[in-house]
């Protein structure tokens, strides 16, 4: 596990926002709205070629074989195959001056897609890690059909459970009571996500783009927003309508040794990696001046990134877990046991 360095670990890295959601949830409408906002100028957009609806053709100026140049200067390319190669090609084309100097990447998944492989790509590919950083996952939810979709389609559950932000779209098509029911369901399914509402895709751009860490110095407000701890107590456990999906936050008062923390993660991923839908947190490692940023999706974890310092006097490690069929007690007991064993080794 790498220690802290003088260089800002986020410097120069291009933020990537993943926009997901079930069929007809309003992803493309949201994307079209965002691309018209100044904050999203100079973005690169990756969409699935076989998506249910394409980027609004009114935004297009001209098309090349693989890349579309949008009116506002954004670059749009269709994902025809491997996401890793698409991101590499975009970065190389940017560096060689073949396309504009984009400042952000937006990835729109298809309605039936599991977003986990997208996150794994961003967290595990060495070249991509050096050039890009995952800013966050935004999930669109159809206010009119959401409850029915969650009842029938496990894909919709997972898309929402993995979200940092949930946008309830088409809120003008339902009554106040129906909207409250959908919002309540989202608060249970994704208790660590912030929830917003959109009509015709209209929402504050910062709700979508200002999620992750921009640099190595972070204040407590941004830290809590990223962890999702601003709305829920750290020890709370929340179970979704799909009873197998659980969200909880663990807090550890004592610093970890590098070896103990790595062994905890190794044992957990080795035993139940496929059921660790998402893990993220800040970890106090002995001897480090600031916390280590940890992110993982199932078996794969991003190399930890050291922040320059703690945002406040609270030095406790905080880890957010979104799991399938793994309870808070099981994970907490595993960490306690592995840490105790690691402490006995010379």
């Amino acid at each position: 596990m790498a220690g802290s360095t003088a260089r800002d670990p986020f410097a120069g890295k291009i933020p990537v926002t993943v926009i997901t959601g079930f069929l007809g949830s309003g992803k493309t409408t949201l994307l079209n709205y965002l691309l018209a906002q100044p904050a999203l100028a100079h973005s690169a957009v990756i969409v699935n070629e076989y998506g249910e609806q394409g980027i609004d053709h009114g935004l297009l100026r001209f098309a090349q074989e693989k890349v579309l140049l949008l009116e506002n200067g954004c670059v749009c390319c269709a994902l025809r195959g491997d996401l890793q190669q698409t991101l590499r090609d975009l970065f190389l084309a940017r560096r060689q001056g073949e396309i504009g100097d984009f400042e952000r990447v937006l990835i729109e998944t298809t309605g039936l897609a599991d977003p986990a492989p997208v996150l794994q790509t961003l967290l595990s590919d060495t070249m991509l890690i050096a050039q890009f950083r995952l800013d966050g996952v935004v999930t669109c939810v159809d206010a009119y059909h959401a409850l029915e979709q969650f009842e029938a389609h496990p894909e919709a559950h997972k898309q929402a459970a993995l979200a940092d932000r949930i946008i309830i779209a088409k809120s003008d098509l339902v009554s106040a009571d129906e909207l409250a029911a959908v919002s309540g369901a989202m608060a249970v399914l994704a208790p660590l996500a912030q929830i917003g509402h959109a009509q015709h895709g209209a929402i504050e751009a910062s709700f979508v783009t200002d999620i992750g860490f921009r640099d190595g110095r972070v204040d407590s407000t941004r830290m809590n927003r990223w962890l999702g701890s601003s709305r829920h107590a750290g020890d709370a456990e929340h179970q979704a309508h799909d009873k197998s999906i659980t969200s909880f936050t663990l807090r550890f008062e004592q610093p970890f040794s590098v070896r103990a923390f790595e062994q905890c993660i190794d044992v957990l991923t080795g035993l139940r990696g496929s059921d660790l839908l998402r893990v993220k947190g800040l970890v106090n490692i002995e001897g480090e001046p600031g916390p280590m940023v940890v992110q993982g999706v199932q078996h794969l974890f991003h190399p930890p990134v050291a922040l320059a310092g703690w945002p406040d006097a609270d030095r406790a490690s905080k880890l957010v877990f979104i799991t399938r069929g793994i309870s808070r007690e099981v994970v907490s007991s595993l960490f306690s046991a592995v840490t105790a064993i690691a402490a006995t080794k010379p």
Side-chain angles (χ1 to χ4, degrees):
M1 184 176 298
S4 60
T5 63
R7 183 180 183 274
D8 190 322
F10 300 101
K13 294 189 178 182
I14 302 167
V16 180
T17 304
V18 179
I19 299 177
T20 187
F22 201 66
L23 296 167
S25 61
K27 299 185 298 297
T28 301
T29 301
L30 171 69
L31 198 51
N32 282 325
Y33 175 83
L34 292 174
L35 289 175
Q37 308 308 305
L40 273 297
H42 311 297
S43 296
V45 184
I46 299 175
V47 296
N48 285 285
E49 187 180 37
Y50 47 89
E52 62 271 17
Q53 180 183 354
I55 297 295
D56 183 359
H57 289 289
L59 289 173
L60 303 181
R61 181 180 298 166
F62 67 84
Q64 298 174 347
E65 181 182 354
K66 293 183 179 180
V67 177
L68 305 174
L69 182 64
L70 306 184
E71 285 186 343
N72 61 350
C74 294
V75 173
C76 178
C77 70
L79 178 58
R80 292 178 168 85
D82 184 49
L83 176 61
Q84 287 173 297
Q85 193 59 49
T86 299
L87 285 167
R88 290 181 185 208
D89 289 346
L90 272 178
F91 180 79
L92 290 174
R94 172 183 183 261
R95 187 169 66 180
Q96 294 168 5
E98 298 173 5
I99 60 176
D101 190 16
F102 58 85
E103 300 171 354
R104 172 177 295 275
V105 175
L106 303 171
I107 301 175
E108 180 190 1
T109 71
T110 60
L112 295 174
D114 179 353
V118 176
L119 304 186
Q120 290 172 335
T121 296
L122 295 167
L123 295 176
S124 62
D125 183 277
T126 303
M127 184 272 182
L128 298 183
I129 288 173
Q131 310 299 343
F132 298 93
R133 63 174 176 84
L134 173 64
D135 193 48
V137 180
V138 177
T139 299
C140 293
V141 172
D142 181 343
Y144 191 78
H145 295 107
L147 297 182
E148 176 185 337
Q149 288 172 343
F150 289 147
E151 193 71 38
H153 301 284
E155 302 94 336
H157 276 276
K158 193 170 183 181
Q159 289 165 350
L162 292 177
D164 297 293
R165 302 286 186 269
I166 286 182
I167 296 177
I168 301 177
K170 308 178 186 178
S171 56
D172 54 320
L173 300 181
V174 298
S175 67
D177 289 342
E178 290 171 324
L179 182 58
V182 173
S183 298
M186 292 303 96
V188 173
L189 178 59
L192 303 173
Q194 292 189 27
I195 299 174
H197 299 83
Q199 295 184 14
H200 309 294
I203 196 164
E204 186 70 30
S206 61
F207 188 76
V208 173
T209 63
D210 195 21
I211 300 174
F213 299 131
R214 292 188 300 263
D215 53 54
R217 297 186 180 277
V218 59
D219 59 29
S220 57
T221 299
R222 175 169 289 278
M223 181 190 73
N224 288 332
R225 277 215 316 267
W226 182 69
L227 287 174
S229 56
S230 57
R231 287 199 297 128
H232 299 282
D235 289 337
E237 182 168 347
H238 310 274
Q239 198 164 55
H241 179 72
D242 176 350
K243 300 301 183 183
S244 68
I245 297 179
T246 303
S247 303
F248 54 88
T249 301
L250 293 183
R251 179 184 173 94
F252 302 91
E253 299 297 335
Q254 296 300 315
F256 287 92
S257 69
V258 171
R259 180 174 65 183
F261 183 75
E262 288 181 340
Q263 289 179 345
C264 287
I265 295 301
D266 287 346
V267 172
L268 187 57
T269 54
L271 292 174
R272 299 294 299 272
S274 61
D275 296 316
L276 290 175
L277 301 186
R278 193 172 180 195
V279 181
K280 63 178 180 177
L282 299 178
V283 181
N284 187 345
I285 297 294
E286 292 175 349
E288 294 291 342
M292 305 296 290
V293 179
V294 174
Q295 295 197 68
V297 178
Q298 296 180 315
H299 295 90
L300 298 176
F301 273 71
H302 187 289
V305 176
L307 296 182
W310 291 87
D312 51 37
D314 185 2
R315 299 292 191 270
S317 299
K318 304 175 189 68
L319 286 170
V320 174
F321 292 86
I322 301 171
T323 68
R324 181 171 49 213
I326 311 175
S327 69
R328 178 186 185 279
E329 290 73 22
V330 166
V331 178
S332 179
S333 297
L334 183 148
F335 267 73
S336 296
V338 174
T339 301
I341 293 172
T344 65
K345 292 185 178 181

